[in-house]
Amino acid sequence: MKEKTIALAGNPNVGKSTVFNALTGMRQHTGNWPGKTVTNAVGHTTYKNVTFELVDLPGAYSLDSSSPDEKVTGSYIRSKKADIVLIVADATCLMRNLILVRDILDITSDAVLCVNLMDEAEKKGIRVDVEKLSRLLGIPVVAAAARSGEGMKDILETLYSATLRESRPHRRVSLPSAEDIYSHCVSLTKDEPHSFDRKLDRIVTSRSLGFPIMFLLLLLIFWLTMAGANYPSAALSSLFSFLGEHIREVLDELSVPAVLISVLMDGLYTTLTWVISVMLPPMAIFFPLFTLLEDFGYLPRIAFNLDHAFRCCGAHGKQSLTMCMGFGCNACGVTGCRIIESPRERLIAVLTNSFVPCNGRFPALIAIILIFFVPGASYMSSLAAGAILAFFIVFSIFITLIISRILSATVLKGVPSSFVLELPPYRKPKIISIIVRSMLDRTVFVLGRAVMISAPFGVVIWLLANIETGDMSLLDRCTEALDPFGRLIGVDGVIVMAFILGFPANEIVIPVMLMCYMSAGTLTDYSGLAELHEILSSCGWSLQTAMSVVILCLFHFPCGTTCLTVKKETGSLKWTALAFFLPTVTGVSICFIMNMLWMLLS
């Protein structure tokens, strides 16, 4: 059986990775914004008697560029490692795509052009004559609509036919200009095929409406995430409680020692199930909603709106995208920083991603706001709680910008790099694909890391709560030792210890607090906000305490999953340590200043 290497090349946002997935069956994440494919992905497919190895190269506008992604693409194509280059172009904006086609044909004639998104072009009144295009370019041209799978068999047949021809020495051929090729091959049935996109852009990217629309959309996502996660979280908690009882009975029947049962069930099992029941529902809602905006084409507009603010701070406009991803999960936000080409600006985005709250911090934030800031269950109190949460979110973005500015003026000094941001056409999202993709690529991935880190810490928490020295447990002694420091920043030793033990996952901070306050030997749940209010108030909590805890929820060290991700992305313990201490020092400093002001005023 023959083996041939196929390199996939194309501009950003032309559906190249969608073609790659359709041909190989791999579930590589695809997105409707530039720079999504930032590393090579390799997949395999077999057609007739040929096995094709497909290499998905980073998106490029040309092969003569200083961009790291475009350098990778240019170097690979010039190396002639690929037997055939499969060029993917966007039928809705073919003229711009032909620049890269000409660059590649200057290097090799062993190429096939896939004109993708033909279905969208037809809706916009754009018709592409692929036969005439093939004659002018001198290479095979295939029409396709990869999102619906149209044209994939034709691509394989064309690639197979190309492998049957003997490769000839490349001779540079004088091609017509891109303008001439376009005018001969493309016809329009509408006067302005992109009129809808431009009308909508005049609204969502305007100076007067751009920011309010952006804020309301993100707020809607947060509200749907919070409101929709309550019921599945409660259902999962009940299910795990039911299963836990039966597992405990089985262990008893197997004569497992009581101490070991307690370690496994009260430590390991309780921690894992708490993390899953609290993390899974919000992520399962947030990531599809976020991906919906991504598929629709709105995320590049967010980068466009926020570009000026981040550039003023010496950072990159694309940091706005990675910051938004951090609201779902800081680990995913850190991974998303790969879309930033400049190493300096990418590092700024990595180090500041944890300054925005992830979904693991929202349960504690919401509970504290509802208990101490707007108690009650009326419609107005819900609106007030939403407004307060929105204020804290805006505050976290403001601090992100300030820290980015400090970093760019000190340890990561440099001039902001300019970048070309393509605003892709708006597209009708594919709901089923979004749900499956976001669950597999993001939710399951992040949850798996959180579970891996939480498991050993569940045992550690149990040991601290159950091993006694004298008349106190190790946990009690730790909280007592941390109490003086806690009082300086407006909290107590229990709260400080809860955040420290919450390192594996932010979701367990409140349960650890309750375990310490109630002197329980295992993580403690609460039946409702009223009971939680009563417990915390009886333990000395006030409005000042609640405010300090909110600040610490917003600004404290990243969870273990995020720290592992920072280490993987930067390859440096130094930068991982800085990512750990930056938000921690920021949160502690703000709490200390607030506490001093509170004492002066009172």
Side-chain angles (χ1 to χ4, degrees):
M1 183 176 286
K2 295 181 181 179
E3 290 189 6
K4 296 290 182 179
T5 300
I6 311 297
L8 267 74
N11 288 180
N13 203 59
V14 296
K16 180 169 56 64
S17 294
T18 307
V19 172
F20 175 85
N21 289 342
L23 293 176
T24 64
M26 293 182 66
R27 297 191 182 95
Q28 183 189 355
H29 181 62
T30 59
N32 186 26
W33 42 287
K36 189 62 184 173
T37 306
V38 292
T39 55
N40 291 359
V42 179
H44 295 82
T45 187
T46 300
Y47 185 75
K48 295 184 178 178
N49 64 335
V50 179
T51 297
F52 295 112
E53 180 185 67
L54 287 92
V55 181
D56 186 12
L57 298 173
Y61 291 103
S62 74
L63 300 184
D64 299 314
S65 169
S66 59
S67 165
D69 290 352
E70 294 181 337
K71 280 184 177 180
V72 169
T73 300
S75 298
Y76 189 88
I77 292 175
R78 290 188 183 95
S79 70
K80 302 293 182 71
K81 293 179 181 178
D83 298 294
I84 302 170
V85 179
L86 176 60
I87 312 168
V88 182
D90 183 351
T92 65
C93 47
L94 189 60
M95 185 184 294
R96 183 179 66 240
N97 289 229
L98 288 173
I99 297 172
L100 179 66
V101 175
R102 286 172 57 90
D103 284 355
I104 293 175
L105 293 182
D106 281 342
I107 298 173
T108 177
S109 55
D110 294 321
V112 172
L113 175 61
C114 165
V115 182
N116 192 28
L117 302 171
M118 290 291 284
D119 51 346
E120 292 188 17
E122 184 178 350
K123 292 176 184 176
K124 294 178 183 292
I126 302 172
R127 293 181 178 175
V128 181
D129 189 333
V130 294
E131 293 182 1
K132 188 177 290 186
L133 185 60
S134 177
R135 289 197 300 270
L136 289 172
L137 293 175
I139 60 172
V141 179
V142 182
R147 282 159 62 93
S148 59
E150 295 179 23
M152 296 301 103
K153 186 174 181 180
D154 293 336
I155 291 176
L156 288 173
E157 181 63 36
T158 304
L159 291 174
Y160 176 76
S161 299
T163 61
L164 299 180
R165 298 193 302 267
E166 291 186 6
S167 180
R168 295 168 297 176
H170 175 63
R171 291 184 298 175
R172 299 189 67 156
V173 178
S174 178
L175 294 173
S177 69
E179 290 82 3
D180 287 342
I181 295 172
Y182 183 85
S183 63
H184 281 86
C185 301
V186 178
S187 59
L188 303 179
T189 60
K190 293 182 180 180
D191 292 336
E192 181 49 71
H194 301 287
S195 59
F196 172 77
D197 294 348
R198 289 172 181 171
K199 288 177 182 177
L200 192 54
D201 276 341
R202 279 196 289 269
I203 298 173
V204 300
T205 62
S206 69
R207 291 187 176 182
S208 57
L209 296 175
F211 277 93
I213 291 173
M214 178 178 66
F215 179 76
L216 289 174
L217 275 176
L218 291 176
L219 193 60
L220 176 64
I221 289 179
F222 297 145
W223 179 78
L224 289 173
T225 300
M226 293 181 288
N230 290 331
Y231 298 107
S233 286
L236 281 174
S237 181
S238 300
L239 174 63
F240 286 133
S241 178
F242 172 78
L243 292 175
E245 292 176 3
H246 286 277
I247 294 173
R248 198 181 291 268
E249 290 176 1
V250 171
L251 293 176
D252 281 331
E253 292 177 0
L254 294 174
S255 301
V256 176
V259 174
L260 183 56
I261 292 177
S262 184
V263 171
L264 294 175
M265 299 305 298
D266 297 331
L268 185 66
Y269 182 82
T270 303
T271 304
L272 285 179
T273 55
W274 182 281
V275 169
I276 293 172
S277 61
V278 174
M279 279 189 73
L280 181 57
M283 286 195 298
I285 296 172
F286 178 86
F287 286 139
L289 290 174
F290 192 82
T291 309
L292 187 69
L293 290 183
E294 183 181 318
D295 242 34
F296 179 61
Y298 182 66
L299 288 191
R301 277 77 185 177
I302 294 179
F304 178 85
N305 290 334
L306 292 176
D307 176 55
H308 180 70
F310 278 97
R311 281 180 60 81
C312 288
C313 296
H316 201 286
K318 289 183 182 179
Q319 186 175 336
S320 60
L321 300 178
T322 63
M323 181 186 68
C324 290
M325 292 179 69
F327 284 115
C329 173
N330 294 136
C332 280
V334 169
T335 302
C337 294
R338 296 175 184 174
I339 66 173
I340 301 175
E341 293 84 2
S342 163
R344 182 189 72 86
E345 292 163 335
R346 187 189 312 130
L347 197 51
I348 291 176
V350 167
L351 295 175
T352 58
N353 194 267
S354 295
F355 280 83
V356 294
C358 64
N359 67 66
R361 303 186 226 175
F362 277 115
L365 285 170
I366 295 167
I368 293 170
I369 289 172
L370 290 174
I371 290 173
F372 289 96
F373 292 86
V374 283
S378 66
Y379 177 73
M380 292 303 296
S381 65
S382 298
L383 285 178
I388 292 173
L389 180 60
F391 167 78
F392 285 127
I393 290 171
V394 171
F395 181 65
S396 69
I397 295 173
F398 175 69
I399 296 297
T400 300
L401 290 170
I402 289 180
I403 299 299
S404 297
R405 184 72 187 94
I406 293 173
L407 288 172
S408 67
T410 54
V411 293
L412 293 171
K413 187 180 296 186
V415 178
S417 61
S418 60
F419 76 106
V420 176
L421 177 63
E422 177 187 354
L423 296 182
Y426 294 99
R427 293 170 182 160
K428 182 180 178 181
K430 303 187 74 173
I431 305 299
I432 301 299
S433 174
I434 285 173
I435 293 173
V436 172
R437 199 172 71 219
S438 60
M439 286 295 292
L440 292 175
D441 293 349
R442 293 178 173 176
T443 304
V444 174
F445 170 75
V446 175
L447 186 64
R449 282 196 176 186
V451 166
M452 180 180 67
I453 296 175
S454 300
F457 267 82
V459 177
V460 172
I461 292 171
W462 183 92
L463 291 173
L464 289 173
N466 288 273
I467 296 177
E468 295 192 355
T469 57
D471 58 344
M472 298 174 66
S473 67
L474 287 176
L475 186 60
D476 290 334
R477 291 201 178 277
C478 290
T479 58
E480 189 179 69
L482 291 170
D483 198 64
F485 170 73
R487 299 297 175 185
L488 281 176
I489 59 175
V491 294
D492 57 29
V494 168
I495 296 171
V496 175
M497 191 63 187
F499 276 102
I500 293 174
L501 293 178
F503 174 73
N506 291 294
E507 293 77 9
I508 65 176
V509 170
I510 292 291
V512 171
M513 287 183 194
L514 296 180
M515 180 176 70
C516 296
Y517 284 136
M518 301 173 69
S519 300
T522 182
L523 293 182
T524 306
D525 198 356
Y526 51 91
S527 59
L529 294 179
E531 182 184 348
L532 180 60
H533 185 200
E534 184 179 341
I535 295 171
L536 297 179
S537 298
S538 65
C539 294
W541 276 48
S542 63
L543 182 61
Q544 177 201 0
T545 312
M547 179 64 81
S548 296
V549 172
V550 166
I551 294 299
L552 290 177
C553 280
L554 291 174
F555 312 117
H556 69 277
F557 46 79
C559 69
T561 304
T562 305
C563 287
L564 278 180
T565 306
V566 172
K567 174 60 173 65
K568 180 180 178 182
E569 295 299 313
T570 64
S572 167
L573 287 175
K574 177 184 71 173
W575 295 121
T576 306
L578 187 58
F580 182 93
F581 286 109
L582 261 180
T584 308
V585 172
T586 302
V588 169
S589 300
I590 294 174
C591 286
F592 177 77
I593 293 171
M594 283 195 337
N595 190 40
M596 294 299 104
L597 290 175
W598 192 281
M599 292 174 64
L600 287 174
L601 293 174
S602 60

